[in-house]
């Protein structure tokens, strides 16, 4: 069967409204307080991932929902402008697009989130015909996409049975329950992409070494993101370390891990050596970390000439 897409992902659609000042603590009692600045940008780990993958030259489709509102339009416009195929995105007039308000000061922030469209997708919305159009499924925001969570293991199994390779980035669990049958889920995962803290929480262990020992025995490729320390990958019994240059000052780090994922998978799907996959991934992550929001600093294929072009079936 001819594959239409290199990658398909499930959209955790939301926008980020970031309010910035030295002190953004609100005061109740109808007290109005001004702030120094703001940004309104597309958020959502999988949405940010998809835009980066498309900018790197991959054919990417997102399956998801947005509300019939200005925030939904912003998301669809951002995705389309990056080259993401949005024909499988639904506009629901009865649904509000997800929104997170960030109150950002110094190196800290508080967040208020309305989930809305970000967790509206369910397994009933994902057909085998849709999955079969892609070479690879990237499943992100596992715990945030609560509409899919009860069926996540079956979704991964379905993708594997249809011949797709799969990757999983669980991201953080806001409930901090980490309640998933991990072994069952990982049995259908080719590439696992946690950060250090997520790896430990997933395994319920106190050290990264313990988490790595457990996880590398359960997936063909384990990649652990380590922030300013770069990243490490384990495949075929070998560890490979990738380093990263310091990001430009003034960025907020939002979406750096998602762009890292896209860079790694672009190299991996293209058959590059592990060290090259990590190098591309770290450069993609660094570029985003030095800017505000998840998409402004994203790399393009022209920035990474070593990336191969994927052959169409």
């Amino acid at each position: 069967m001819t594959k239409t897409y290199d990658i398909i992902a499930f959209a955790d659609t939301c926008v980020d409204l970031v309010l910035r000042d030295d002190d953004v603590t609100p005061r109740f009692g109808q007290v109005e307080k001004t702030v120094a600045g703001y940004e309104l940008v597309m958020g959502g780990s999988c949405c940010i991932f998809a835009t980066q993958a498309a900018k790197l030259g991959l054919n990417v489709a997102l399956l998801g929902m947005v509300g019939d509102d200005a925030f939904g339009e912003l998301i669809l416009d951002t995705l389309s402008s990056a080259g993401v195929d949005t024909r499988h995105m639904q506009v629901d007039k009865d649904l509000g697009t997800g929104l997170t308000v960030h109150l950002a000061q110094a190196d800290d922030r508080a967040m208020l989130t309305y989930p809305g469209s970000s967790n509206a997708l369910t397994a009933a919305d994902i057909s085998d015909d849709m999955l079969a159009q892609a070479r690879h499924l990237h499943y992100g925001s596992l715990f945030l996409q609560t509409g899919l969570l009860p069926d996540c293991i079956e979704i991964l199994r379905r993708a594997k049975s249809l011949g797709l390779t799969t990757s999983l980035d669980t991201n953080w669990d806001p409930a901090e329950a980490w309640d998933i049958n991990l072994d069952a889920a990982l049995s259908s995962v080719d590439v696992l992409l946690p950060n250090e803290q997520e790896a430990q929480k997933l395994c319920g262990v106190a050290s990264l070494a313990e988490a790595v020992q457990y996880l590398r025995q359960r997936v063909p490729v384990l990649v652990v993101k380590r922030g300013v320390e770069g990243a490490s990958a384990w495949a075929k019994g070998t560890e490979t370390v990738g380093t990263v240059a310091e990001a430009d000052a003034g960025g907020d780090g939002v979406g750096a891990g998602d762009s890292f994922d896209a860079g790694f998978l672009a190299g991996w799907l293209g058959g590059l050596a592990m060290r090259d996959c990590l190098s591309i991934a770290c450069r993609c992550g660094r570029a985003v970390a030095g800017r505000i929001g998840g998409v402004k600093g994203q790399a393009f294929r022209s920035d990474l000439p070593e990336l191969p072009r994927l052959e169409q079936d």
Side-chain angles (χ1 to χ4, degrees), residues 8 12 40 50 59 64 75 85 92 98 116 131 137 147 154 164 168 199 220 232 235 239 263 285-286 289 294 312:
I8 186 171
D12 49 348
L40 179 65
N59 293 323
I75 290 171
D85 191 326
D92 188 333
L131 288 175
L137 168 66
E154 181 57 29
L164 283 75
L168 175 64
S232 297
E239 178 182 2
R286 176 191 178 277
Q312 297 296 308

mmCIF file of all heavy atoms in Angstrom, residues 8 12 40 50 59 64 75 85 92 98 116 131 137 147 154 164 168 199 220 232 235 239 263 285-286 289 294 312:
data_model
loop_
_atom_site.group_PDB
_atom_site.id
_atom_site.type_symbol
_atom_site.label_atom_id
_atom_site.label_comp_id
_atom_site.label_asym_id
_atom_site.label_seq_id
_atom_site.Cartn_x
_atom_site.Cartn_y
_atom_site.Cartn_z
ATOM 1 N N ILE A 8 2.252 10.200 11.396
ATOM 2 C CA ILE A 8 0.959 10.686 11.855
ATOM 3 C C ILE A 8 1.035 10.836 13.369
ATOM 4 O O ILE A 8 1.735 10.070 14.044
ATOM 5 C CB ILE A 8 -0.188 9.734 11.455
ATOM 6 C CG1 ILE A 8 -1.539 10.337 11.814
ATOM 7 C CG2 ILE A 8 -0.037 8.372 12.118
ATOM 8 C CD1 ILE A 8 -2.711 9.551 11.255
ATOM 9 N N ASP A 12 -2.896 17.354 20.436
ATOM 10 C CA ASP A 12 -3.291 17.896 21.741
ATOM 11 C C ASP A 12 -3.445 19.408 21.592
ATOM 12 O O ASP A 12 -2.641 20.186 22.080
ATOM 13 C CB ASP A 12 -2.253 17.548 22.815
ATOM 14 C CG ASP A 12 -0.829 17.872 22.387
ATOM 15 O OD1 ASP A 12 -0.606 18.145 21.190
ATOM 16 O OD2 ASP A 12 0.066 17.863 23.247
ATOM 17 N N LEU A 40 0.984 35.120 22.492
ATOM 18 C CA LEU A 40 -0.113 34.191 22.225
ATOM 19 C C LEU A 40 0.337 33.286 21.092
ATOM 20 O O LEU A 40 0.500 33.738 19.958
ATOM 21 C CB LEU A 40 -1.385 34.937 21.846
ATOM 22 C CG LEU A 40 -2.599 34.068 21.510
ATOM 23 C CD1 LEU A 40 -3.059 33.283 22.735
ATOM 24 C CD2 LEU A 40 -3.746 34.921 20.972
ATOM 25 N N ALA A 50 4.694 18.215 15.321
ATOM 26 C CA ALA A 50 4.297 18.087 13.919
ATOM 27 C C ALA A 50 4.859 19.218 13.070
ATOM 28 O O ALA A 50 5.320 18.995 11.942
ATOM 29 C CB ALA A 50 2.775 18.045 13.818
ATOM 30 N N ASN A 59 6.489 14.309 5.490
ATOM 31 C CA ASN A 59 5.054 14.433 5.261
ATOM 32 C C ASN A 59 4.330 14.035 6.539
ATOM 33 O O ASN A 59 4.365 12.875 6.949
ATOM 34 C CB ASN A 59 4.614 13.518 4.108
ATOM 35 C CG ASN A 59 5.193 13.958 2.779
ATOM 36 O OD1 ASN A 59 5.317 15.155 2.521
ATOM 37 N ND2 ASN A 59 5.563 13.012 1.936
ATOM 38 N N GLY A 64 -7.055 15.344 14.981
ATOM 39 C CA GLY A 64 -7.493 15.961 16.219
ATOM 40 C C GLY A 64 -8.659 16.893 16.012
ATOM 41 O O GLY A 64 -9.318 16.874 14.959
ATOM 42 N N ILE A 75 -4.340 27.815 15.581
ATOM 43 C CA ILE A 75 -3.673 26.512 15.528
ATOM 44 C C ILE A 75 -3.638 25.980 14.099
ATOM 45 O O ILE A 75 -2.578 25.561 13.605
ATOM 46 C CB ILE A 75 -4.385 25.512 16.465
ATOM 47 C CG1 ILE A 75 -4.132 25.895 17.926
ATOM 48 C CG2 ILE A 75 -3.909 24.082 16.202
ATOM 49 C CD1 ILE A 75 -4.959 25.112 18.918
ATOM 50 N N ASP A 85 -0.255 18.506 7.224
ATOM 51 C CA ASP A 85 -1.535 18.186 6.597
ATOM 52 C C ASP A 85 -2.622 18.222 7.673
ATOM 53 O O ASP A 85 -2.603 17.428 8.619
ATOM 54 C CB ASP A 85 -1.470 16.797 5.959
ATOM 55 C CG ASP A 85 -2.670 16.506 5.066
ATOM 56 O OD1 ASP A 85 -3.784 16.976 5.386
ATOM 57 O OD2 ASP A 85 -2.511 15.783 4.063
ATOM 58 N N ASP A 92 -15.120 21.660 15.705
ATOM 59 C CA ASP A 92 -16.348 21.339 16.447
ATOM 60 C C ASP A 92 -16.907 22.622 17.053
ATOM 61 O O ASP A 92 -16.292 23.239 17.915
ATOM 62 C CB ASP A 92 -16.017 20.329 17.553
ATOM 63 C CG ASP A 92 -17.255 19.783 18.239
ATOM 64 O OD1 ASP A 92 -18.290 20.487 18.256
ATOM 65 O OD2 ASP A 92 -17.190 18.662 18.779
ATOM 66 N N GLY A 98 -8.472 24.312 23.464
ATOM 67 C CA GLY A 98 -7.722 24.299 24.710
ATOM 68 C C GLY A 98 -6.889 25.565 24.890
ATOM 69 O O GLY A 98 -6.387 26.149 23.925
ATOM 70 N N GLY A 116 -10.404 21.623 27.106
ATOM 71 C CA GLY A 116 -11.171 21.755 25.874
ATOM 72 C C GLY A 116 -10.810 20.729 24.822
ATOM 73 O O GLY A 116 -10.862 19.517 25.050
ATOM 74 N N LEU A 131 -4.654 5.190 10.046
ATOM 75 C CA LEU A 131 -3.331 4.781 10.507
ATOM 76 C C LEU A 131 -2.501 4.190 9.378
ATOM 77 O O LEU A 131 -1.295 4.445 9.273
ATOM 78 C CB LEU A 131 -3.455 3.769 11.644
ATOM 79 C CG LEU A 131 -3.935 4.285 13.006
ATOM 80 C CD1 LEU A 131 -4.123 3.122 13.973
ATOM 81 C CD2 LEU A 131 -2.952 5.295 13.581
ATOM 82 N N LEU A 137 3.857 6.133 13.566
ATOM 83 C CA LEU A 137 2.977 6.814 14.516
ATOM 84 C C LEU A 137 3.810 7.375 15.648
ATOM 85 O O LEU A 137 4.537 6.640 16.320
ATOM 86 C CB LEU A 137 1.942 5.839 15.084
ATOM 87 C CG LEU A 137 1.148 6.365 16.298
ATOM 88 C CD1 LEU A 137 0.262 7.546 15.904
ATOM 89 C CD2 LEU A 137 0.309 5.252 16.929
ATOM 90 N N GLY A 147 -8.866 11.467 26.614
ATOM 91 C CA GLY A 147 -9.848 10.767 25.799
ATOM 92 C C GLY A 147 -9.274 9.519 25.144
ATOM 93 O O GLY A 147 -10.003 8.551 24.881
ATOM 94 N N GLU A 154 -4.034 -0.377 23.098
ATOM 95 C CA GLU A 154 -4.655 -0.964 21.912
ATOM 96 C C GLU A 154 -4.343 -0.141 20.670
ATOM 97 O O GLU A 154 -4.144 -0.694 19.578
ATOM 98 C CB GLU A 154 -6.168 -1.068 22.109
ATOM 99 C CG GLU A 154 -6.914 -1.698 20.946
ATOM 100 C CD GLU A 154 -6.421 -3.102 20.606
ATOM 101 O OE1 GLU A 154 -5.928 -3.821 21.502
ATOM 102 O OE2 GLU A 154 -6.521 -3.491 19.418
ATOM 103 N N LEU A 164 3.167 -0.071 10.951
ATOM 104 C CA LEU A 164 3.827 1.178 11.282
ATOM 105 C C LEU A 164 4.907 0.936 12.332
ATOM 106 O O LEU A 164 4.784 0.056 13.180
ATOM 107 C CB LEU A 164 2.835 2.192 11.861
ATOM 108 C CG LEU A 164 1.901 2.915 10.894
ATOM 109 C CD1 LEU A 164 0.781 1.997 10.419
ATOM 110 C CD2 LEU A 164 1.305 4.162 11.571
ATOM 111 N N LEU A 168 6.987 6.882 21.303
ATOM 112 C CA LEU A 168 6.171 7.337 22.423
ATOM 113 C C LEU A 168 6.952 8.355 23.246
ATOM 114 O O LEU A 168 8.079 8.090 23.668
ATOM 115 C CB LEU A 168 5.774 6.149 23.320
ATOM 116 C CG LEU A 168 5.014 6.482 24.611
ATOM 117 C CD1 LEU A 168 3.654 7.100 24.295
ATOM 118 C CD2 LEU A 168 4.845 5.221 25.470
ATOM 119 N N ALA A 199 11.423 9.419 32.804
ATOM 120 C CA ALA A 199 11.907 8.032 32.802
ATOM 121 C C ALA A 199 11.829 7.434 34.204
ATOM 122 O O ALA A 199 11.381 6.292 34.389
ATOM 123 C CB ALA A 199 13.338 7.978 32.281
ATOM 124 N N PRO A 220 13.350 -1.246 21.517
ATOM 125 C CA PRO A 220 14.542 -1.306 20.656
ATOM 126 C C PRO A 220 15.426 -0.074 20.758
ATOM 127 O O PRO A 220 16.653 -0.175 20.700
ATOM 128 C CB PRO A 220 13.945 -1.451 19.249
ATOM 129 C CG PRO A 220 12.592 -2.053 19.462
ATOM 130 C CD PRO A 220 12.105 -1.470 20.750
ATOM 131 N N SER A 232 21.049 10.966 25.696
ATOM 132 C CA SER A 232 21.695 9.659 25.539
ATOM 133 C C SER A 232 20.709 8.707 24.895
ATOM 134 O O SER A 232 19.497 8.778 25.137
ATOM 135 C CB SER A 232 22.140 9.098 26.898
ATOM 136 O OG SER A 232 23.110 9.935 27.499
ATOM 137 N N ALA A 235 20.635 1.539 21.938
ATOM 138 C CA ALA A 235 20.088 0.695 20.883
ATOM 139 C C ALA A 235 21.072 -0.433 20.589
ATOM 140 O O ALA A 235 22.288 -0.197 20.544
ATOM 141 C CB ALA A 235 19.832 1.503 19.612
ATOM 142 N N GLU A 239 25.367 2.370 24.007
ATOM 143 C CA GLU A 239 24.961 3.717 24.406
ATOM 144 C C GLU A 239 25.662 4.743 23.528
ATOM 145 O O GLU A 239 26.862 4.636 23.253
ATOM 146 C CB GLU A 239 25.313 3.990 25.873
ATOM 147 C CG GLU A 239 24.937 5.401 26.315
ATOM 148 C CD GLU A 239 25.328 5.714 27.751
ATOM 149 O OE1 GLU A 239 25.927 4.828 28.406
ATOM 150 O OE2 GLU A 239 25.040 6.840 28.212
ATOM 151 N N GLY A 263 13.360 15.960 15.388
ATOM 152 C CA GLY A 263 14.679 15.861 14.774
ATOM 153 C C GLY A 263 15.237 14.454 14.851
ATOM 154 O O GLY A 263 15.811 13.941 13.875
ATOM 155 N N GLY A 285 16.317 20.910 19.260
ATOM 156 C CA GLY A 285 15.897 21.313 20.590
ATOM 157 C C GLY A 285 16.524 22.625 21.016
ATOM 158 O O GLY A 285 15.854 23.496 21.587
ATOM 159 N N ARG A 286 17.812 22.780 20.744
ATOM 160 C CA ARG A 286 18.522 24.005 21.131
ATOM 161 C C ARG A 286 17.938 25.221 20.419
ATOM 162 O O ARG A 286 17.776 26.297 21.030
ATOM 163 C CB ARG A 286 20.005 23.878 20.777
ATOM 164 C CG ARG A 286 20.809 25.136 21.049
ATOM 165 C CD ARG A 286 22.203 25.076 20.438
ATOM 166 N NE ARG A 286 22.935 26.319 20.675
ATOM 167 C CZ ARG A 286 22.803 27.412 19.930
ATOM 168 N NH1 ARG A 286 21.964 27.418 18.902
ATOM 169 N NH2 ARG A 286 23.503 28.507 20.220
ATOM 170 N N ALA A 289 14.792 26.209 22.212
ATOM 171 C CA ALA A 289 15.010 26.626 23.599
ATOM 172 C C ALA A 289 15.449 28.083 23.701
ATOM 173 O O ALA A 289 15.215 28.731 24.725
ATOM 174 C CB ALA A 289 16.045 25.726 24.263
ATOM 175 N N GLY A 294 6.937 27.608 21.243
ATOM 176 C CA GLY A 294 7.435 26.321 20.780
ATOM 177 C C GLY A 294 7.792 26.215 19.320
ATOM 178 O O GLY A 294 8.380 25.211 18.903
ATOM 179 N N GLN A 312 9.375 7.660 -1.163
ATOM 180 C CA GLN A 312 7.959 7.309 -1.134
ATOM 181 C C GLN A 312 7.749 5.898 -1.622
ATOM 182 O O GLN A 312 8.455 5.419 -2.519
ATOM 183 C CB GLN A 312 7.161 8.285 -2.026
ATOM 184 C CG GLN A 312 7.216 9.732 -1.529
ATOM 185 C CD GLN A 312 6.560 9.899 -0.178
ATOM 186 O OE1 GLN A 312 5.424 9.487 0.024
ATOM 187 N NE2 GLN A 312 7.287 10.486 0.747
#
